[in-house]
Amino acid sequence: MATRLVQVNMKARDDAALGGFWAEALGWAVSSEGPGVTNLEPEGFDYPDPVAVVVDLVASTEPKTVKNRVHLDLATTSLDHQAELVARLRDLGATPVDIGQGAVPWTVLADPEGNEFCVLEPREMYRDTGPIAAVVVDCADPRRMTDFWSRATDWTVHEVSDRDAALRSSAGVGPYLEFLRTPEVKSGWNRVHLDVRPYPGDDMGAETARLRALGATVIDLGPVEVPWTVLADPEGNEFCLLTPR
């Protein structure tokens, strides 16, 4: 058994408006599975497919108070493309932010609701990822996180060190999942989190038990009935185990 990373879930005050921004940023199509939910995926995409990790925006009244521990890195093909993309995103409502990055070749921006993301300079490893180069998770221990997530999913480890790590779908397509050592301590629920999904025919209960054996913990939502299971990884980052598909 294994899961695979299928989507990034992002809370939003206005899911439709923020979804419009990200659809323009990524060049993706917009749909909605219901009120308060905006879904983004590439045109003609057959979900789920490792060629892309889609984005779901879910309405929430909770304000953003701290830097997100999960963010997107956007890929570019040249320095001109990077400059053009940054300018276009700023026209769409993004703003430059200083998170202590110093003098770096990438540009750090925040979307219209303050969610941080990076527009990377061109890098060879991201030449075939699509618009999202990587989904990046801040952490205290990249090696520990890599050990958990490489066993929790069928993603392959590409590099790992005490400073950072990178995984990618075993199919060798789509964005990377990266873990970056940061000094900040997790505070409150993550406003952006990962969603994983088992393969068709897998058993939800058995998969939940497997993830718990690897170090995940189940989060009790109280008297709320949902078809998915909410867990936390070994560093407390919430993620959702969706139904097999």
Side-chain angles (χ1 to χ4, degrees):
M1 292 189 298
T3 65
R4 69 271 203 216
L5 176 60
V6 293
Q7 60 206 43
V8 173
N9 185 297
M10 185 182 300
K11 299 296 185 288
R13 294 190 303 273
D14 186 334
D15 63 283
L18 192 60
F21 168 86
W22 279 104
E24 290 288 340
L26 301 173
W28 285 3
V30 182
S31 61
S32 176
E33 63 191 69
V37 181
T38 297
N39 311 103
L40 308 179
E41 60 183 40
E43 293 279 357
F45 183 69
D46 186 16
Y47 174 93
D49 187 316
V51 74
V53 172
V54 302
V55 179
D56 281 4
L57 298 105
V58 179
S60 173
T61 58
E62 296 180 5
K64 181 180 185 295
T65 58
V66 297
K67 174 180 172 288
N68 290 337
R69 292 188 70 78
V70 180
H71 73 266
L72 302 181
D73 281 354
L74 304 188
T76 62
T77 57
S78 68
L79 292 178
D80 285 344
H81 180 208
Q82 182 188 20
E84 291 165 1
L85 181 56
V86 168
R88 184 167 66 84
L89 293 170
R90 294 190 64 175
D91 287 342
L92 290 171
T95 54
V97 292
D98 184 352
I99 57 172
Q101 67 268 24
V104 292
W106 60 88
T107 302
V108 183
L109 300 172
D111 69 21
E113 290 200 8
N115 298 298
E116 304 85 3
F117 66 98
C118 297
V119 180
L120 302 180
E121 77 285 4
R123 302 183 193 180
E124 179 63 22
M125 70 178 292
Y126 301 134
R127 61 181 174 79
D128 62 350
T129 60
I132 300 177
V135 180
V136 183
V137 182
D138 291 352
C139 67
D141 187 342
R143 293 186 184 277
R144 183 186 186 198
M145 292 288 276
T146 298
D147 180 66
F148 172 79
W149 282 99
S150 64
R151 292 192 291 161
T153 67
D154 61 359
W155 283 37
T156 301
V157 179
H158 279 251
E159 57 185 49
V160 60
S161 70
D162 291 337
R163 189 183 73 85
D164 54 25
L167 290 74
R168 198 183 192 192
S169 165
S170 57
V173 296
Y176 288 80
L177 174 62
E178 298 183 353
F179 299 101
L180 178 65
R181 181 187 288 275
T182 57
E184 294 87 1
V185 177
K186 183 178 184 293
S187 174
W189 280 67
N190 286 347
R191 194 169 179 82
V192 182
H193 71 256
L194 309 180
D195 286 347
V196 299
R197 190 181 289 277
Y199 285 89
D202 285 351
D203 180 80
M204 279 283 286
E207 187 60 24
T208 299
R210 188 184 72 87
L211 293 172
R212 293 184 68 179
L214 293 175
T217 54
V218 175
I219 296 176
D220 184 1
L221 298 179
V224 178
E225 293 188 12
V226 293
W228 57 85
T229 302
V230 182
L231 301 103
D233 70 19
E235 290 202 3
N237 299 295
E238 302 84 10
F239 67 98
C240 291
L241 175 66
L242 307 180
T243 54
R245 182 172 169 183

